[in-house]
Amino acid sequence: MTANGTKNGAVEIPYKIYLSENEIPAYWYNVRADMKNKPAPLLNPGTHQPMTAEELSGVFCDELVQQELNNTDPYIPIPQEIRDFYKMYRPAPLVRAYCLEEKLQTPAHIYYKFEGNNTSGSHKLNSAIAQAYYAKKQGLKGVTTETGAGQWGTALSMACSYFGLDCKVYMVKVSYEQKPFRREVMRTYGASVTPSPSETTQIGRKILAEHPGTTGSLGCAISEAVEVAVSNPGYRYVLGSVLNQVLLHQSVIGLETKTALEKYDVKPDIIIGCAGGGSNLGGLIAPFMGEKLRGEADYRIIAVEPASCPSFTRGVFAYDF
Ligand SMILES: *Cc1c(COP(=O)(O)O)cnc(C)c1O
Protein backbone atom coordinates (compact mmCIF):
# COMPACT_ATOMS: atom_id res chain seq x y z
CA MET A 1 0.00 0.00 0.00
CA THR A 2 1.35 3.42 -0.80
CA ALA A 3 1.35 6.15 1.77
CA ASN A 4 0.47 8.78 -0.79
CA GLY A 5 -2.18 7.16 -2.93
CA THR A 6 -3.66 10.51 -3.89
CA LYS A 7 -0.38 12.00 -5.06
CA ASN A 8 0.03 9.04 -7.40
CA GLY A 9 -3.41 9.72 -8.80
CA ALA A 10 -4.84 6.58 -7.21
CA VAL A 11 -8.19 6.43 -5.41
CA GLU A 12 -8.12 8.29 -2.13
CA ILE A 13 -7.95 5.77 0.68
CA PRO A 14 -9.71 6.73 3.91
CA TYR A 15 -7.01 5.39 6.16
CA LYS A 16 -3.44 6.07 5.21
CA ILE A 17 -1.68 3.06 6.56
CA TYR A 18 2.02 3.30 6.74
CA LEU A 19 3.79 -0.04 6.32
CA SER A 20 7.40 -0.54 5.51
CA GLU A 21 9.81 -3.01 6.95
CA ASN A 22 12.64 -0.58 6.40
CA GLU A 23 11.14 2.15 8.51
CA ILE A 24 11.31 0.37 11.83
CA PRO A 25 13.70 2.41 13.96
CA ALA A 26 17.17 0.93 14.35
CA TYR A 27 17.86 2.98 17.51
CA TRP A 28 15.83 3.88 20.55
CA TYR A 29 15.95 7.57 21.42
CA ASN A 30 16.93 8.46 24.98
CA VAL A 31 15.44 11.90 25.62
CA ARG A 32 17.33 12.26 28.92
CA ALA A 33 20.52 12.83 26.96
CA ASP A 34 19.05 16.10 25.67
CA MET A 35 17.59 17.26 28.99
CA LYS A 36 19.52 20.00 30.75
CA ASN A 37 17.73 19.30 34.01
CA LYS A 38 17.97 15.56 34.44
CA PRO A 39 15.16 13.69 36.15
CA ALA A 40 15.70 13.03 39.86
CA PRO A 41 17.61 9.78 40.38
CA LEU A 42 16.29 6.58 41.92
CA LEU A 43 17.24 6.65 45.60
CA ASN A 44 18.26 3.77 47.80
CA PRO A 45 15.48 3.65 50.44
CA GLY A 46 18.03 2.80 53.15
CA THR A 47 20.73 5.39 52.51
CA HIS A 48 18.75 7.94 50.44
CA GLN A 49 21.74 8.03 48.07
CA PRO A 50 21.31 7.51 44.31
CA MET A 51 21.04 3.81 43.49
CA THR A 52 24.17 2.34 41.94
CA ALA A 53 24.21 -0.14 39.08
CA GLU A 54 25.40 -2.78 41.51
CA GLU A 55 22.51 -2.21 43.88
CA LEU A 56 20.00 -2.34 41.05
CA SER A 57 21.48 -5.48 39.52
CA GLY A 58 19.91 -7.70 42.18
CA VAL A 59 16.47 -6.63 41.00
CA PHE A 60 16.86 -5.83 37.27
CA CYS A 61 18.82 -7.38 34.37
CA ASP A 62 22.31 -5.90 33.94
CA GLU A 63 21.78 -4.37 30.51
CA LEU A 64 18.49 -2.83 31.61
CA VAL A 65 20.23 -1.31 34.64
CA GLN A 66 22.68 0.36 32.24
CA GLN A 67 19.78 1.72 30.21
CA GLU A 68 18.01 2.85 33.38
CA LEU A 69 21.00 4.92 34.48
CA ASN A 70 22.06 6.18 31.05
CA ASN A 71 21.64 9.95 30.98
CA THR A 72 24.17 10.59 28.20
CA ASP A 73 23.65 8.49 25.05
CA PRO A 74 20.86 9.91 22.88
CA TYR A 75 20.64 6.86 20.61
CA ILE A 76 20.85 3.27 21.76
CA PRO A 77 20.97 0.57 19.08
CA ILE A 78 18.05 -1.86 19.03
CA PRO A 79 19.50 -5.39 18.88
CA GLN A 80 18.72 -7.27 15.68
CA GLU A 81 16.73 -9.98 17.53
CA ILE A 82 14.37 -7.32 18.88
CA ARG A 83 14.06 -5.65 15.49
CA ASP A 84 13.19 -9.04 14.00
CA PHE A 85 10.40 -9.33 16.53
CA TYR A 86 9.21 -5.73 15.96
CA LYS A 87 9.01 -6.60 12.26
CA MET A 88 6.02 -8.87 13.01
CA TYR A 89 3.82 -5.95 14.01
CA ARG A 90 5.71 -2.73 13.31
CA PRO A 91 5.65 -0.05 12.08
CA ALA A 92 2.31 0.44 13.81
CA PRO A 93 -0.19 2.28 11.63
CA LEU A 94 -0.57 6.04 11.89
CA VAL A 95 -4.23 6.59 11.10
CA ARG A 96 -6.08 9.74 10.08
CA ALA A 97 -9.25 10.09 12.17
CA TYR A 98 -11.49 11.48 9.40
CA CYS A 99 -14.76 10.65 11.17
CA LEU A 100 -13.67 12.23 14.44
CA GLU A 101 -12.58 15.37 12.59
CA GLU A 102 -16.02 15.56 11.02
CA LYS A 103 -17.87 14.94 14.28
CA LEU A 104 -15.83 17.64 15.99
CA GLN A 105 -16.34 20.02 13.06
CA THR A 106 -12.67 20.92 13.43
CA PRO A 107 -10.31 22.24 10.79
CA ALA A 108 -7.56 20.23 12.51
CA HIS A 109 -6.14 17.10 10.94
CA ILE A 110 -6.12 14.40 13.58
CA TYR A 111 -3.87 11.38 13.37
CA TYR A 112 -3.56 8.59 15.88
CA LYS A 113 -0.87 6.00 16.31
CA PHE A 114 -2.55 2.60 16.71
CA GLU A 115 -0.53 0.28 18.97
CA GLY A 116 -3.22 -2.37 19.38
CA ASN A 117 -2.34 -4.38 16.30
CA ASN A 118 -0.31 -7.11 17.98
CA THR A 119 -1.47 -10.30 19.66
CA SER A 120 -1.04 -8.89 23.18
CA GLY A 121 -3.16 -5.89 22.18
CA SER A 122 -1.19 -2.90 23.47
CA HIS A 123 2.05 -0.94 23.22
CA LYS A 124 3.39 -2.89 26.22
CA LEU A 125 4.92 -5.48 23.89
CA ASN A 126 7.50 -2.92 22.65
CA SER A 127 9.21 -3.01 26.02
CA ALA A 128 8.27 -6.58 27.04
CA ILE A 129 10.21 -8.04 24.13
CA ALA A 130 13.25 -5.90 24.91
CA GLN A 131 13.23 -6.81 28.59
CA ALA A 132 12.77 -10.52 27.86
CA TYR A 133 15.61 -10.37 25.32
CA TYR A 134 18.08 -8.90 27.83
CA ALA A 135 17.02 -11.42 30.50
CA LYS A 136 17.62 -14.27 28.07
CA LYS A 137 20.94 -12.81 26.94
CA GLN A 138 22.07 -12.70 30.56
CA GLY A 139 21.31 -16.42 30.87
CA LEU A 140 18.49 -15.97 33.39
CA LYS A 141 15.82 -18.61 33.97
CA GLY A 142 12.93 -16.23 34.16
CA VAL A 143 11.33 -12.98 35.24
CA THR A 144 8.64 -11.91 37.67
CA THR A 145 6.21 -9.04 37.37
CA GLU A 146 2.88 -7.63 38.45
CA THR A 147 -0.08 -6.82 36.29
CA GLY A 148 -3.26 -4.88 36.93
CA ALA A 149 -5.79 -5.11 34.14
CA GLY A 150 -3.47 -7.56 32.39
CA GLN A 151 -2.01 -5.82 29.33
CA TRP A 152 1.52 -5.85 30.67
CA GLY A 153 1.25 -9.44 31.93
CA THR A 154 -0.06 -10.55 28.55
CA ALA A 155 2.69 -8.78 26.62
CA LEU A 156 5.38 -10.13 28.91
CA SER A 157 4.01 -13.69 28.75
CA MET A 158 4.12 -13.51 24.98
CA ALA A 159 7.67 -12.13 24.97
CA CYS A 160 8.88 -14.75 27.47
CA SER A 161 7.39 -17.62 25.51
CA TYR A 162 9.19 -16.29 22.40
CA PHE A 163 12.57 -16.45 24.15
CA GLY A 164 11.82 -19.56 26.26
CA LEU A 165 11.88 -17.79 29.63
CA ASP A 166 9.82 -18.62 32.68
CA CYS A 167 7.33 -15.86 33.55
CA LYS A 168 5.69 -15.42 36.96
CA VAL A 169 2.91 -12.87 37.04
CA TYR A 170 1.28 -11.48 40.20
CA MET A 171 -2.10 -10.19 39.16
CA VAL A 172 -4.12 -7.81 41.36
CA LYS A 173 -6.79 -10.09 42.81
CA VAL A 174 -9.78 -7.98 41.79
CA SER A 175 -8.61 -8.04 38.14
CA TYR A 176 -7.75 -11.72 38.35
CA GLU A 177 -11.38 -12.35 39.22
CA GLN A 178 -12.92 -9.76 36.91
CA LYS A 179 -10.79 -10.45 33.82
CA PRO A 180 -10.53 -14.23 33.46
CA PHE A 181 -9.76 -13.99 29.73
CA ARG A 182 -6.60 -11.93 30.26
CA ARG A 183 -5.51 -14.38 32.92
CA GLU A 184 -6.03 -17.36 30.62
CA VAL A 185 -4.22 -15.71 27.70
CA MET A 186 -1.17 -15.35 29.96
CA ARG A 187 -1.44 -19.01 30.96
CA THR A 188 -1.80 -20.01 27.32
CA TYR A 189 1.60 -18.38 26.74
CA GLY A 190 2.97 -20.52 29.57
CA ALA A 191 3.11 -17.92 32.36
CA SER A 192 2.13 -18.73 35.92
CA VAL A 193 -0.48 -16.26 37.18
CA THR A 194 -1.07 -15.81 40.91
CA PRO A 195 -3.78 -13.57 42.39
CA SER A 196 -2.20 -10.98 44.69
CA PRO A 197 -1.96 -10.78 47.65
CA SER A 198 -1.12 -14.47 47.90
CA GLU A 199 0.21 -16.98 50.38
CA THR A 200 3.26 -17.59 48.16
CA THR A 201 5.34 -14.69 49.56
CA GLN A 202 6.19 -13.29 52.98
CA ILE A 203 4.83 -9.87 52.12
CA GLY A 204 1.66 -11.42 50.68
CA ARG A 205 1.04 -13.41 53.87
CA LYS A 206 1.65 -10.29 55.97
CA ILE A 207 -0.79 -8.21 53.91
CA LEU A 208 -3.42 -10.97 54.05
CA ALA A 209 -3.03 -11.22 57.83
CA GLU A 210 -3.38 -7.45 58.27
CA HIS A 211 -6.10 -6.90 55.68
CA PRO A 212 -8.14 -10.09 55.34
CA GLY A 213 -10.45 -9.97 52.32
CA THR A 214 -8.43 -7.28 50.49
CA THR A 215 -8.82 -7.33 46.70
CA GLY A 216 -5.19 -6.28 46.26
CA SER A 217 -3.38 -3.37 44.65
CA LEU A 218 -0.57 -2.82 42.18
CA GLY A 219 1.79 -1.87 45.01
CA CYS A 220 1.06 -5.13 46.76
CA ALA A 221 1.55 -7.18 43.56
CA ILE A 222 4.84 -5.35 42.89
CA SER A 223 6.06 -6.21 46.39
CA GLU A 224 5.30 -9.87 45.83
CA ALA A 225 6.94 -9.96 42.39
CA VAL A 226 10.09 -8.20 43.65
CA GLU A 227 10.34 -10.56 46.62
CA VAL A 228 10.12 -13.62 44.36
CA ALA A 229 12.75 -12.19 41.98
CA VAL A 230 15.32 -11.34 44.65
CA SER A 231 14.85 -14.60 46.54
CA ASN A 232 15.11 -16.96 43.54
CA PRO A 233 18.47 -17.39 41.79
CA GLY A 234 18.24 -16.81 38.04
CA TYR A 235 15.23 -14.49 38.28
CA ARG A 236 14.88 -10.74 37.92
CA TYR A 237 11.95 -8.38 38.22
CA VAL A 238 10.59 -6.49 35.20
CA LEU A 239 8.18 -3.56 35.05
CA GLY A 240 5.91 -2.45 32.20
CA SER A 241 5.81 1.33 32.70
CA VAL A 242 7.24 4.25 34.70
CA LEU A 243 10.96 3.35 34.42
CA ASN A 244 13.44 5.18 32.18
CA GLN A 245 14.21 1.96 30.29
CA VAL A 246 10.53 1.47 29.43
CA LEU A 247 10.18 5.00 28.07
CA LEU A 248 13.34 4.38 26.07
CA HIS A 249 11.88 1.23 24.45
CA GLN A 250 8.58 3.00 23.81
CA SER A 251 10.39 5.71 21.83
CA VAL A 252 9.77 3.49 18.77
CA ILE A 253 6.21 4.89 18.87
CA GLY A 254 7.37 8.48 18.53
CA LEU A 255 10.17 7.75 16.08
CA GLU A 256 7.80 5.96 13.72
CA THR A 257 5.18 8.67 14.13
CA LYS A 258 7.74 11.30 13.22
CA THR A 259 8.94 9.40 10.16
CA ALA A 260 5.37 8.85 8.98
CA LEU A 261 4.38 12.50 9.46
CA GLU A 262 7.45 13.62 7.57
CA LYS A 263 6.48 11.26 4.79
CA TYR A 264 3.01 12.83 4.71
CA ASP A 265 4.64 16.26 4.84
CA VAL A 266 2.73 17.08 8.02
CA LYS A 267 4.21 19.05 10.88
CA PRO A 268 2.22 18.47 14.09
CA ASP A 269 1.22 21.47 16.21
CA ILE A 270 -0.09 19.51 19.16
CA ILE A 271 0.84 16.04 20.39
CA ILE A 272 -1.50 14.38 22.87
CA GLY A 273 -0.99 11.19 24.80
CA CYS A 274 -2.68 9.38 27.66
CA ALA A 275 -0.64 9.03 30.83
CA GLY A 276 -0.94 6.18 33.29
CA GLY A 277 2.61 5.33 34.23
CA GLY A 278 3.75 7.54 31.36
CA SER A 279 5.28 5.06 28.96
CA ASN A 280 3.19 5.41 25.82
CA LEU A 281 3.08 9.18 26.28
CA GLY A 282 6.82 9.35 26.95
CA GLY A 283 7.55 7.16 23.94
CA LEU A 284 5.27 9.12 21.63
CA ILE A 285 6.61 12.53 22.54
CA ALA A 286 10.29 11.57 22.93
CA PRO A 287 11.70 12.61 19.53
CA PHE A 288 9.46 15.70 19.37
CA MET A 289 10.50 16.69 22.86
CA GLY A 290 14.10 16.14 21.80
CA GLU A 291 13.68 18.71 19.02
CA LYS A 292 12.06 21.08 21.49
CA LEU A 293 14.87 20.63 24.00
CA ARG A 294 17.51 21.20 21.31
CA GLY A 295 15.65 24.31 20.15
CA GLU A 296 15.01 22.91 16.67
CA ALA A 297 11.22 22.97 16.74
CA ASP A 298 8.34 23.75 19.02
CA TYR A 299 5.30 21.65 19.78
CA ARG A 300 2.49 21.87 22.27
CA ILE A 301 2.49 18.62 24.19
CA ILE A 302 -0.52 17.56 26.24
CA ALA A 303 -0.74 14.68 28.69
CA VAL A 304 -4.20 13.38 29.52
CA GLU A 305 -4.83 11.39 32.67
CA PRO A 306 -7.81 9.72 34.32
CA ALA A 307 -9.61 11.89 36.87
CA SER A 308 -9.94 8.79 39.06
CA CYS A 309 -6.17 8.38 39.58
CA PRO A 310 -4.39 11.60 38.61
CA SER A 311 -0.64 11.68 39.14
CA PHE A 312 0.30 14.85 37.22
CA THR A 313 -2.47 17.27 38.07
CA ARG A 314 -3.01 16.34 41.71
CA GLY A 315 -1.13 14.89 44.63
CA VAL A 316 2.47 15.56 45.62
CA PHE A 317 5.67 14.95 43.70
CA ALA A 318 7.73 13.00 46.19
CA TYR A 319 9.71 9.83 46.72
CA ASP A 320 7.69 6.83 47.82
CA PHE A 321 9.68 4.08 49.43
C1 LIG B 1 -0.60 0.21 30.25
C2 LIG B 1 -1.47 0.95 29.39
C3 LIG B 1 -1.67 2.34 29.56
C4 LIG B 1 -1.04 3.14 30.64
O1 LIG B 1 0.33 3.00 30.76
P1 LIG B 1 1.39 4.06 30.22
O2 LIG B 1 2.68 3.59 30.79
O3 LIG B 1 0.97 5.41 30.76
O4 LIG B 1 1.38 4.01 28.74
C5 LIG B 1 -2.51 3.00 28.69
N1 LIG B 1 -3.12 2.35 27.70
C6 LIG B 1 -2.93 1.02 27.50
C7 LIG B 1 -3.66 0.37 26.35
C8 LIG B 1 -2.11 0.28 28.31
O5 LIG B 1 -1.91 -1.02 28.09
Side-chain angles (χ1 to χ4, degrees):
M1 190 174 298
T2 76
N4 55 357
T6 46
K7 277 190 205 153
N8 292 343
V11 193
E12 177 157 13
I13 44 169
Y15 301 101
K16 288 181 176 177
I17 299 177
Y18 170 76
L19 292 169
S20 162
E21 188 184 301
N22 299 327
E23 276 147 351
I24 300 169
Y27 294 83
W28 290 302
Y29 170 61
N30 177 15
V31 71
R32 281 168 295 140
D34 284 316
M35 292 169 74
K36 285 196 189 76
N37 301 318
K38 305 294 182 195
L42 292 170
L43 294 187
N44 179 318
T47 62
H48 288 206
Q49 292 303 306
M51 292 285 270
T52 62
E54 204 189 333
E55 288 167 335
L56 288 169
S57 69
V59 180
F60 300 115
C61 307
D62 296 345
E63 189 80 29
L64 293 167
V65 168
Q66 294 308 319
Q67 293 181 359
E68 193 60 31
L69 298 178
N70 189 333
N71 271 347
T72 49
D73 298 327
Y75 287 97
I76 295 175
I78 305 176
Q80 189 59 48
E81 290 89 336
I82 299 174
R83 291 173 65 192
D84 287 344
F85 188 88
Y86 281 166
K87 227 189 296 185
M88 286 192 266
Y89 68 99
R90 309 205 67 82
L94 185 72
V95 185
R96 174 100 179 257
Y98 286 105
C99 294
L100 181 62
E101 289 173 13
E102 203 181 299
K103 286 277 180 210
L104 295 175
Q105 291 287 298
T106 173
H109 292 189
I110 303 172
Y111 293 83
Y112 64 92
K113 182 73 166 162
F114 180 60
E115 289 287 329
N117 63 335
N118 68 71
T119 313
S120 78
S122 79
H123 67 285
K124 300 280 194 317
L125 193 58
N126 301 333
S127 184
I129 196 63
Q131 297 192 47
Y133 167 78
Y134 290 118
K136 184 70 184 179
K137 199 172 148 227
Q138 195 175 325
L140 298 175
K141 273 192 253 169
V143 291
T144 72
T145 199
E146 77 291 339
T147 199
Q151 272 97 259
W152 168 244
T154 306
L156 186 70
S157 305
M158 186 178 165
C160 285
S161 88
Y162 182 76
F163 284 122
L165 279 171
D166 185 34
C167 180
K168 298 187 196 301
V169 181
Y170 283 83
M171 186 169 190
V172 179
K173 192 181 280 170
V174 66
S175 298
Y176 181 93
E177 282 157 10
Q178 281 176 355
K179 300 180 197 300
F181 301 118
R182 277 279 161 195
R183 185 179 82 202
E184 294 314 319
V185 171
M186 289 184 257
R187 288 181 174 151
T188 303
Y189 278 116
S192 74
V193 187
T194 308
S196 170
S198 76
E199 296 284 350
T200 66
T201 62
Q202 272 179 28
I203 187 73
R205 289 189 290 274
K206 183 165 179 273
I207 293 165
L208 283 173
E210 286 168 12
H211 308 276
T214 176
T215 54
S217 71
L218 265 185
C220 168
I222 291 171
S223 302
E224 289 202 277
V226 172
E227 180 183 322
V228 172
V230 298
S231 52
N232 284 285
Y235 281 80
R236 292 292 185 282
Y237 166 71
V238 295
L239 182 60
S241 183
V242 179
L243 296 174
N244 292 332
Q245 56 187 273
V246 182
L247 269 72
L248 175 74
H249 303 148
Q250 296 297 356
S251 68
V252 292
I253 302 173
L255 291 163
E256 283 178 12
T257 301
K258 200 156 179 304
T259 307
L261 288 174
E262 278 162 12
K263 220 172 161 178
Y264 297 165
D265 209 10
V266 169
K267 190 178 169 298
D269 302 301
I270 308 177
I271 301 156
I272 307 173
C274 72
S279 75
N280 85 80
L281 169 78
L284 173 69
I285 68 177
F288 300 100
M289 188 59 97
E291 287 189 322
K292 213 173 142 113
L293 288 166
R294 296 190 301 271
E296 297 164 8
D298 199 14
Y299 303 99
R300 189 172 160 219
I301 293 172
I302 304 175
V304 181
E305 65 178 1
S308 58
C309 51
S311 52
F312 286 166
T313 55
R314 303 194 51 190
V316 286
F317 181 64
Y319 281 94
D320 177 4
F321 300 114

